[in-house]
Amino acid sequence: MLEVLTERAVTPDAVVGSSLGAVNAAGLAAGCHPAQLREFWQWLLAEVMASPVRTLAKGLSARQSRKQVEMVRERVAGMLPERFDQLAIPLRLVATDLETGDAVLLDSGDLVQAVMASCALPGLLPPVDVDGAHLIDGGLVAGMPLWAVPDETRTVIVLDTGHAAMSVDAVAAYRWWEVAALSYAHQIREQAVNALLVAAAKTPVVMVSTDYGRMLDVADPLGCVQAGRDAAERQLAAVPNRLRRGVYNLPPGLAEYAPLAALTVNPGHRPP
C-alpha cells in the first residue's frame, strides 16, 4: 500500500499509527523507502511470527522473550531515528496503559521505545516502560486511531490490512490461535466503526483495505504484499479529485453498520 502511495507522490502532512501499524507509520514518517519496510516485515514473519504457537511459547519464557524483544528492537532501531524530533513528518502513536486501560498518545521522546510500546501485542512482546507507565498494544484501545489525527487535517487516508475488511463470518475452520486473533479483530472493528463515524462526519476519509489471507497466517507474505498493492491501486484510482465529507471505499466488513454505511460516498458522486 505504501509503495503505491509513494509512486503516486502522496506525501502526508502527519502520520498516525497504532499496534503493528506503528512500525509502518514510523517508517513513513522517517522517510523510509517502502522496500525497507517490506524487508522488515519479511524478516519479522520469517524469524518471529512464522509459527504462532512457537511465538506464544517463547513469550512464556523470560529468557526467550527478552531475546525476541531485542531482535525486534534492533531491527526497528536500524531503520528509524532515535527520537520523534528527528522525523521528516510529524508522527503520533497510540499505546494502551496496562494498569488503567487508557489510551496513551506518544509523540515525543524516544521513538524506538514508543514504537515497541505501541506494537507490544500480548503474548508476542512484553509491556514497555515509558515514563513509569507499562504500555502495551495500542490496538486494544485504538486499532484505527483517528482521534489522534491533527484537527487541521483536510483529508484522512486509512491503510487497513484486514481487521476492518474481514468478513464477520470468517471463522469457519479456524484454528484456536486464529479464533483468538479474530476475537481481537472484532473488537478492533467496533472501534473502527466509532472512529470512522466521528472522523467522516467532518472530514473526507479514504480507506485502502484488503482481506487477503487469514488472521496470523504468514504462509504467503509476498501474496499479502501484492494484495495490498493491488487493493491500493484499485481503490485509490476510484477516488475522485474533489472529495467531500464521508467514507470512500468502505470495506465489506464495515458495510453492515447502517450509520456508517450512510456516510459512504459513491466514488462516482461529484460534489456540487
Side-chain angles (χ1 to χ4, degrees), residues 189-250:
R189 180 186 288 107
E190 296 294 335
Q191 296 171 4
V193 170
N194 293 327
L196 284 169
L197 284 172
V198 174
K202 58 182 181 180
T203 310
V205 178
V206 177
M207 294 199 66
V208 179
S209 59
T210 174
D211 59 357
Y212 181 87
R214 295 155 59 109
M215 296 295 295
L216 293 184
D217 182 354
V218 297
D220 185 20
L222 294 180
C224 291
V225 171
Q226 187 60 49
R229 164 177 275 282
D230 293 344
E233 290 177 340
R234 182 178 64 256
Q235 293 165 16
L236 289 175
V239 176
N241 292 328
R242 294 179 61 194
L243 304 179
R244 65 184 181 93
R245 288 178 295 177
V247 183
Y248 293 78
N249 302 325
L250 184 69

Side-chain angles (χ1 to χ4, degrees), residues 27-216:
L28 178 59
C32 293
H33 191 278
Q36 291 178 269
L37 292 169
R38 180 194 287 242
E39 182 182 348
F40 169 82
W41 287 109
Q42 288 176 337
W43 169 83
L44 186 74
L45 296 177
E47 299 297 328
V48 179
M49 300 178 66
S51 168
V53 175
R54 190 178 301 119
T55 298
L56 290 172
K58 287 182 178 179
L60 297 176
S61 165
R63 184 176 67 84
Q64 289 294 330
S65 179
R66 284 195 298 271
K67 180 180 178 181
Q68 190 162 264
V69 169
E70 289 309 312
M71 286 173 57
V72 176
R73 181 184 291 274
E74 182 178 348
R75 281 278 176 162
V76 171
M79 65 180 183
L80 298 177
E82 295 181 359
R83 304 184 62 80
F84 276 85
D85 57 15
Q86 296 172 309
L87 291 168
I89 301 172
L91 171 69
R92 293 178 176 180
L93 301 178
V94 177
T96 303
D97 189 313
L98 180 59
E99 297 179 2
T100 66
D102 294 335
V104 178
L105 184 66
L106 303 168
D107 60 359
S108 63
D110 190 317
L111 176 60
V112 175
Q113 185 182 46
V115 171
M116 294 297 294
S118 183
C119 66
L121 275 73
L124 176 62
L125 298 170
V128 176
D129 188 324
V130 177
D131 296 330
H134 294 90
L135 305 184
I136 58 174
D137 179 29
L140 286 167
V141 291
M144 193 177 291
L146 298 182
W147 60 266
V149 172
D151 293 337
E152 64 274 16
T153 300
R154 299 179 61 184
T155 301
V156 176
I157 299 177
V158 177
L159 303 184
D160 175 65
T161 55
H163 289 132
M166 184 172 293
S167 172
V168 176
D169 61 359
V171 294
Y174 265 40
R175 292 160 288 188
W176 66 265
W177 60 85
E178 292 176 316
V179 172
L182 187 57
S183 299
Y184 203 70
H186 286 325
Q187 175 180 324
I188 292 176
R189 180 186 288 107
E190 296 294 335
Q191 296 171 4
V193 170
N194 293 327
L196 284 169
L197 284 172
V198 174
K202 58 182 181 180
T203 310
V205 178
V206 177
M207 294 199 66
V208 179
S209 59
T210 174
D211 59 357
Y212 181 87
R214 295 155 59 109
M215 296 295 295
L216 293 184

